[in-house]
């Protein structure tokens, strides 16, 4: 079973994402802040990470930097899931190595799930 | 409305109208300054021509040209600064649009996802009822967030239009503060922040708009928790000092960088400190707080060290009960 780490400080988003992922046959671990997110990424060895940008303790940019500079976590695909939409934010996130950038309010849970599925499928084809 | 927004070519000559649109004084308005510059140049040419005709001394002409250039240089500088000011206000506006849309988008996406679940969930079974209510509660909370956000925006508008009707009454600011602290217990626990308080026992009743002072306290406490580090301490104190009640909150959080201190109470201003991406603030709480305290006859200020923490305090004048 694929394991997904969701780093997000809004509880209601975690709850809905967990239900929807579990229903699609994935398991989910979650962190409420950036620091804990980095820790779980190292210890839980997830197959994919969903990352918010505005996060307590360490923000999403710092988390992404930490993940990409550690050999244990730099191979894990990261989807940034945020409500920020500045071109500067998008460019920064992509240059830091995120796979893709989704604006939460523009994507339904099913949309996010199909993005996740796509990433797993393209990984298997390689 | 259409007539108002459509600009007629005659408006080019109605400088007062043009300048009021930029919200700058007439003597800081680029259009006026360019016109003044034009007149000075034409006048200087005529004067130079006349003077050199009668005196026939090149030094006089050179001196006049020098003086005129100096004047034009000064006016040019004023024009540049006024353009800067106009550009800044447009920058503030776009910052505002981006902050507010983000503030509204967060609860909206949460509602969207919860509705996604509600629509897809099989709610006929008994076991789903608990889940259903969980989602409904979540949607309710998010909706409250949006209502608060829009109310704050409207309050900013009322402040700017000077259209606030205060409803002053006597109340205990200590009891009110106690109530707000209670409301923020959950947030504080989530952020692992401890709130302590010291209320001087013989503080007299305050006379102000209680609902609005509650808003001020909420904004200040919300900020203190929001910018605290995990394990941090927030302390609130209330004391009587001569004819004022002093309300004070201290945190050990991110603090405010020196260069941002002047702008802390400006609306839609958010500091570029280390915590900018660690929490989502609208940048209007302190603007509202300052306006309400000023309208209530008090004062508000702060002291802050970056990465060490901030102390915000406000005063309310004591009014004798008649």
């Amino acid at each position: 079973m694929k394991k997904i780490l969701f780093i997000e400080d809004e509880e209601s988003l975690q709850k809905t994402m967990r239900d929807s992922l579990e229903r699609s046959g994935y398991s989910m671990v979650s962190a409420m802040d950036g620091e804990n997110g980095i820790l779980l990424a190292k210890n839980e060895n997830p197959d994919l990470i969903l990352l918010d940008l505005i996060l307590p303790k360490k923000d999403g940019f710092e988390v992404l930097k930490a993940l990409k500079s550690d050999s244990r976590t730099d191979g894990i695909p990261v989807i940034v899931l945020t409500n920020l939409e500045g071109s500067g934010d998008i460019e920064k996130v992509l240059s830091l190595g995120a796979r893709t950038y989704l604006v939460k309010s523009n994507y339904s849970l099913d949309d996010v799930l199909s993005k996740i599925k796509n990433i797993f499928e393209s990984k298997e084809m390689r | 409305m259409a007539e108002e927004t459509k600009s007629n070519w005659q408006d080019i000559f109605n400088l007062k109208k043009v300048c009021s649109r930029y919200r700058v004084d007439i003597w800081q308005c680029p259009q006026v300054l360019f016109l003044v510059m034009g007149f000075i140049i034409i006048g200087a040419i005529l004067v130079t021509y006349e003077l050199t005709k009668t005196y026939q001394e090149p030094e006089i002409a050179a001196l006049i040209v020098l003086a005129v250039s100096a004047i034009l240089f000064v006016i040019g500088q004023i024009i540049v600064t006024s353009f800067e000011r106009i550009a800044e206000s447009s920058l503030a506006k776009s910052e505002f649009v981006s902050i507010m849309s983000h503030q509204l988008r967060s609860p909206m996406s949460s509602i969207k996802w919860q509705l996604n679940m509600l629509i897809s969930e099989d709610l006929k079974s008994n076991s789903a009822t608990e889940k259903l209510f969980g989602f409904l509660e979540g949607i309710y909370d998010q909706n409250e967030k949006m209502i608060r956000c829009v109310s704050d925006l409207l309050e900013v508008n009322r402040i700017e239009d000077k259209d606030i009707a205060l409803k002053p009454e006597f109340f205990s600011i200590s009891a009110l503060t106690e109530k707000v602290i209670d409301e923020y217990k959950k947030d504080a626990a989530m952020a692992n922040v401890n709130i302590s308080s010291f209320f001087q026992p013989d503080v007299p009743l305050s006379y102000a708009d209680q609902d609005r002072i509650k808003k001020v306290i909420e904004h200040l406490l919300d900020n203190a928790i929001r910018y605290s580090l995990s394990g941090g301490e927030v302390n609130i104190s209330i004391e009587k000092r001569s004819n004022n009640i002093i309300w004070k909150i201290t945190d050990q959080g991110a603090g405010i960088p020196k260069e941002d201190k002047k702008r802390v109470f400006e609306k839609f201003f958010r500091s570029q400190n280390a915590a900018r991406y660690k929490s989502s603030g609208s940048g209007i709480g302190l603007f509202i707080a300052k306006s309400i305290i000023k309208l209530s006859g008090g004062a508000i200020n702060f002291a802050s060290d970056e990465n060490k923490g901030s102390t915000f305090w406000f005063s309310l004048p004591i009014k004798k009960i008649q």
Side-chain angles (χ1 to χ4, degrees):
Chain A
M1 199 198 285
K2 297 255 194 242
K3 195 197 280 176
I4 291 164
L5 167 63
F6 190 20
I7 312 176
E8 161 69 61
D9 59 334
E10 174 64 51
E11 225 181 317
S12 63
L13 293 181
Q14 284 209 3
K15 209 169 75 181
T16 45
M17 183 58 83
R18 180 184 302 280
D19 276 14
S20 138
L21 284 174
E22 283 173 359
R23 231 191 294 161
S24 303
Y26 301 113
S27 72
M28 185 182 116
V29 280
S30 60
M32 296 285 277
D33 62 69
E35 235 168 60
N36 201 20
I38 296 169
L39 207 74
L40 284 183
K42 284 175 189 162
N43 297 339
E44 293 277 335
N45 199 23
D47 299 283
L48 185 139
I49 297 171
L50 299 169
L51 174 66
D52 188 15
L53 285 183
I54 297 186
L55 287 169
K57 294 181 192 170
K58 277 203 159 63
D59 66 47
F61 299 106
E62 293 169 315
V63 172
L64 201 51
K65 251 181 249 170
L67 293 178
K68 292 299 168 190
S69 61
D70 190 312
S71 59
R72 281 172 290 178
T73 52
D74 67 345
I76 308 170
V78 177
I79 298 181
V80 167
L81 209 52
T82 176
N83 271 319
L84 293 174
E85 209 181 359
S87 59
D89 298 326
I90 299 176
E91 278 163 21
K92 197 169 165 192
V93 158
L94 294 180
S95 74
L96 284 173
R99 188 62 72 87
T100 184
Y101 189 106
L102 306 179
V103 173
K104 281 180 214 159
S105 61
N106 299 352
Y107 290 85
S108 70
L109 282 168
D110 284 346
D111 294 337
V112 179
L113 274 174
S114 70
K115 292 274 175 196
I116 294 172
K117 223 173 120 202
N118 278 347
I119 288 181
F120 284 145
E121 276 168 5
S122 69
K123 216 178 173 185
E124 271 156 26
M125 264 169 23
R126 257 186 283 155
Chain B
M1 272 308 270
E3 273 171 34
E4 232 176 273
T5 46
K6 211 165 72 184
S7 69
N8 296 319
W9 65 269
Q10 291 105 317
D11 280 356
I12 300 169
F13 299 106
N14 190 348
L15 289 174
K16 213 173 163 189
K17 198 170 168 186
V18 173
C19 296
S20 75
R21 216 170 40 212
Y22 290 142
R23 292 174 189 216
V24 289
D25 285 345
I26 195 122
W27 293 112
Q28 289 176 323
C29 176
Q31 268 85 348
V32 173
L33 291 169
F34 273 118
L35 215 65
V36 170
M37 238 157 92
F39 283 130
I40 290 178
I41 293 171
I42 294 168
I45 290 170
L46 290 177
V47 170
T48 321
Y49 175 73
E50 279 302 319
L51 284 178
T52 42
K53 215 168 64 182
T54 37
Y55 296 105
Q56 289 187 339
E57 275 177 62
E59 285 86 356
I60 292 182
L63 266 177
I64 294 173
V65 171
L66 206 69
V68 169
S69 310
I71 295 171
L72 293 182
F73 183 76
V74 171
I75 297 180
Q77 277 304 313
I78 301 175
I79 293 178
V80 170
T81 36
S82 69
F83 267 128
E84 263 170 10
R85 194 182 288 197
I86 292 165
E88 249 166 47
S89 86
S90 123
L91 213 67
K93 262 203 194 109
S94 71
E95 178 96 324
F96 155 67
V97 172
S98 105
I99 287 176
M100 283 331 286
S101 45
H102 179 261
Q103 286 296 95
L104 286 174
R105 231 180 197 175
S106 298
M108 279 167 161
S109 32
S110 167
I111 291 178
K112 179 175 179 151
W113 285 11
Q114 294 183 80
L115 289 173
N116 280 161
M117 292 308 288
L118 281 180
I119 293 165
S120 65
E121 193 106 33
D122 182 14
L123 294 167
K124 287 180 192 111
S125 66
N126 272 335
S127 61
T129 326
E130 203 179 313
K131 251 184 186 164
L132 165 75
F133 278 99
F135 288 133
L136 288 178
E137 244 169 62
I139 291 171
Y140 182 87
D141 287 346
Q142 299 296 329
N143 193 47
E144 286 296 299
K145 266 190 204 169
M146 292 201 282
I147 291 172
R148 241 175 289 146
C149 184
V150 173
S151 305
D152 279 353
L153 263 187
L154 288 173
E155 182 84 342
V156 168
N157 232 11
R158 278 192 294 263
I159 290 166
E160 300 217 296
D161 292 345
K162 299 190 169 54
D163 186 30
I164 287 197
L166 294 175
K167 296 166 291 179
E169 59 184 316
F170 283 102
F171 65 93
S172 156
I173 197 163
S174 306
L176 182 70
T177 305
E178 205 74 74
K179 200 171 148 192
V180 176
I181 292 175
D182 210 49
E183 284 172 12
Y184 275 85
K185 260 198 183 125
K186 202 178 148 200
D187 287 11
M190 290 258 284
N192 192 22
V193 170
N194 185 41
I195 305 175
S196 62
S197 56
F198 170 75
F199 304 157
Q200 196 181 302
D202 53 344
V203 170
L205 294 179
S206 305
Y207 184 74
D209 187 327
Q210 185 170 194
D211 292 341
R212 287 207 158 86
I213 297 299
K214 182 166 183 255
K215 270 260 162 229
V216 173
I217 296 174
E218 281 170 0
H219 281 307
L220 292 175
L221 180 55
D222 188 82
N223 275 351
I225 295 173
R226 197 184 282 278
Y227 295 108
S228 280
L229 304 172
S230 181
E233 182 89 18
V234 169
N235 181 270
I236 300 178
S237 71
I238 298 172
E239 57 180 336
K240 177 179 177 254
R241 218 178 284 165
S242 65
N243 275 327
N244 288 295
I245 296 168
I246 309 286
W247 191 100
K248 192 158 88 182
I249 186 164
T250 305
D251 67 58
Q252 304 166 330
I256 300 156
K258 231 182 190 163
E259 61 272 19
D260 289 342
K261 283 188 176 170
K262 266 203 313 223
R263 302 188 58 198
V264 161
F265 289 108
E266 276 177 29
K267 68 172 188 289
F268 305 121
F269 176 73
R270 291 200 69 212
S271 175
Q272 295 284 354
N273 64 12
R276 188 172 172 86
Y277 283 104
K278 293 193 174 63
S279 84
S280 51
S282 62
I284 50 183
L286 288 177
F287 173 77
I288 292 177
K290 180 166 192 175
S291 308
I292 291 174
I293 294 299
K294 265 170 77 185
L295 283 170
S296 310
I300 185 167
N301 215 332
F302 72 99
S304 182
D305 275 325
E306 195 171 7
N307 298 323
K308 279 189 186 153
S310 308
T311 298
F312 279 81
W313 66 87
F314 66 81
S315 66
L316 286 175
I318 294 168
K319 199 180 166 202
K320 290 234 157 63
I321 304 177
Q322 276 143 16

